[in-house]
Amino acid sequence: MGKKRIIWIELLRVAACIAVIMLHAASQHFRDTPIDTFTWKVSNFYHGFTRFAVPCFIMISGALYLDKKRTWNLKKLWLRNILPVAAAYVFWQLFYGVYRIMITGSVPVGSARFFKKLLVYFSDAYFHLWYLPMLIGLMILTPLIWEIVNSPRGKQWEEYMILLFLIFKITVYTVTVFPLPWLEHIKTLLNTVQPSLVTDFAGYFILGHYLYEYGLPGKAERAVYILGPVTILLGIVLCQWRSLELDQPVQAFYDNYTLAAFCWSSAVFLFFKNVLGKIRWSERQEKTICYLGSCTFGVYLIHAFFRDILHRLGIDSMMIQNTVIAVPLTVLAIFALSLAAVSVMKHIPVIKKWII
């Protein structure tokens, strides 16, 4: 028997996975659709609404990897946690590299030019595979962060690091996306101090553990539930305004490091933990949720392949005039095909362990 899974975390995994697919489905025509159209506005909305996905994935990792019940052995960390992710990254980089070369048909398979081009593709992460090297970086830091957050004053250290993340990353990034006078000078000034341990995704990693372990007082949690939807909707509106002004698509106001994404991701995480976490599921429902949760890593890795295949068949966010409906239908098709493929691959031991 494997370790017992936490149902609300598995549900959040599934929700974040679907949100990633929705973001990528909505983005297919984000840059080639007139900005003053209803279609682009719908795409912009889906772009913003799904921005909780990546931060929540990282927060889940922080909640689990930094759990005080865990102990970290460096050999096991590298062999059991880091190596499989690295192997998956290598495989999928090669997979998508070969796929991209073959669909262009411009280079003979097996030729010197083929391998040269494959090496070029391999050297730069495919658009969604950047997540794996970032995750490896967080896992490398995990034993150090674990010692800090599980020390006798661990809660205070976490609060301190989250505060630094808010001040030196979230606030700085949010301020600098606005078209302010002397913007370059403002950026230089605000970026003078960069405590790097907490100014990247490690901030979300630590935040996930803190919310998982300690949560928030009632009033603070209610404030987050209000701030989350309000700030992400404001980010969506600001992106639309700025895009119309510049006549080019802008998504800076709800990027992962904005205050909007921070509040929205925190609200979603707390909602799954404190609301959906209280639901009593039947044994069969728990089994289904856990199975879907166990497939999300593989679905994330392979969904870009099916997104492209369906797009070439004319199945995407523009397949019908009503984009509001077209995007969810596309997401459903991509998720179903990805899940089916992963379900088959999970029956192959080597692939199950190293690829998905």
Side-chain angles (χ1 to χ4, degrees):
M1 292 292 289
K3 181 185 287 188
K4 183 173 175 60
R5 291 176 176 261
I6 303 168
I7 303 303
W8 70 264
I9 282 184
E10 299 307 313
L11 278 172
L12 183 54
R13 279 191 212 275
V14 176
C17 182
I18 292 172
V20 166
I21 296 173
M22 181 170 285
L23 189 156
H24 292 157
S27 70
Q28 284 177 295
H29 296 285
F30 188 71
R31 301 191 181 280
D32 59 21
T33 302
I35 293 167
D36 59 351
T37 61
F38 177 72
T39 297
W40 189 89
K41 292 175 184 177
V42 171
S43 178
N44 180 49
F45 173 80
Y46 281 126
H47 254 73
F49 175 77
T50 56
R51 283 294 161 157
F52 69 89
V54 168
C56 279
F57 268 138
I58 298 168
M59 290 162 74
I60 288 171
S61 296
L64 299 178
Y65 287 152
L66 301 178
D67 189 347
K68 61 185 176 184
K69 298 186 182 71
R70 299 192 72 146
T71 54
W72 286 106
N73 174 290
L74 291 182
K75 182 179 179 181
K76 289 181 179 179
L77 171 68
W78 279 88
L79 292 179
R80 295 186 183 180
N81 298 91
I82 294 175
L83 186 58
V85 176
Y89 178 71
V90 170
F91 174 86
W92 289 103
Q93 275 286 84
L94 291 173
F95 174 86
Y96 283 110
V98 171
Y99 173 71
R100 290 156 76 186
I101 295 171
M102 291 183 68
I103 58 177
T104 60
S106 58
V107 180
V109 177
S111 66
R113 287 176 59 206
F114 173 88
F115 288 107
K116 185 177 180 180
K117 194 159 190 175
L118 181 60
L119 184 61
V120 171
Y121 280 143
F122 183 81
S123 65
D124 187 24
Y126 196 44
F127 76 92
H128 71 306
L129 294 181
W130 67 270
Y131 184 86
L132 274 66
M134 181 277 298
L135 181 61
I136 290 172
L138 288 177
M139 287 193 289
I140 290 172
L141 291 174
T142 291
L144 172 63
I145 301 175
W146 187 93
E147 292 290 346
I148 296 171
V149 303
N150 290 292
S151 66
R153 297 178 61 194
K155 184 179 180 183
Q156 289 89 337
W157 287 127
E158 278 193 272
E159 290 169 349
Y160 176 64
M161 290 188 287
I162 292 168
L163 182 62
L164 294 179
F165 180 54
L166 264 170
I167 294 172
F168 290 105
K169 189 65 180 188
I170 300 298
T171 302
V172 169
Y173 190 97
T174 301
V175 168
T176 55
V177 299
F178 286 90
L180 302 171
W182 303 91
L183 183 58
E184 290 305 315
H185 297 287
I186 292 171
K187 284 183 178 180
T188 301
L189 180 63
L190 292 177
N191 287 316
T192 301
V193 178
Q194 285 288 308
S196 57
L197 181 62
V198 293
T199 53
D200 291 310
F201 284 112
Y204 279 120
F205 194 66
I206 296 164
L207 176 65
H209 176 261
Y210 185 87
L211 295 179
Y212 172 76
E213 184 70 23
Y214 306 110
L216 293 176
K219 289 184 179 180
E221 184 175 328
R222 287 191 289 273
V224 170
Y225 286 147
I226 295 170
L227 282 172
V230 169
T231 54
I232 201 65
L233 286 173
L234 181 60
I236 291 168
V237 170
L238 287 172
C239 282
Q240 183 176 317
W241 159 72
R242 189 62 174 159
S243 298
L244 287 168
E245 187 176 65
L246 298 177
D247 194 30
Q248 64 182 35
V250 172
Q251 57 187 49
F253 294 99
Y254 48 61
D255 275 342
N256 290 325
Y257 289 129
T258 59
L259 186 62
F262 178 89
C263 293
W264 180 227
S265 303
S266 299
V268 171
F269 188 91
L270 287 170
F271 176 79
F272 273 78
K273 175 178 180 283
N274 295 332
V275 178
L276 298 187
K278 294 179 180 178
I279 296 176
R280 297 182 66 87
W281 306 92
S282 68
E283 186 177 343
R284 184 176 181 181
Q285 289 171 329
E286 287 190 359
K287 186 176 180 180
T288 300
I289 293 168
C290 289
Y291 179 76
L292 291 174
S294 72
C295 291
T296 53
F297 184 60
V299 169
Y300 178 87
L301 295 171
I302 203 172
H303 84 274
F305 170 71
F306 288 111
R307 185 192 79 146
D308 190 70
I309 293 293
L310 291 172
H311 171 66
R312 293 174 183 280
L313 295 173
I315 302 173
D316 61 19
S317 60
M318 298 281 283
M319 64 181 173
I320 58 176
Q321 286 188 332
N322 192 332
T323 313
V324 177
I325 298 174
V327 170
L329 288 177
T330 304
V331 171
L332 180 62
I334 296 171
F335 182 76
L337 289 170
S338 301
L339 181 62
V342 171
S343 296
V344 172
M345 295 167 75
K346 281 174 73 72
H347 287 88
I348 306 172
V350 175
I351 291 178
K352 177 182 177 180
K353 180 178 180 180
W354 298 103
I355 307 303
I356 58 168

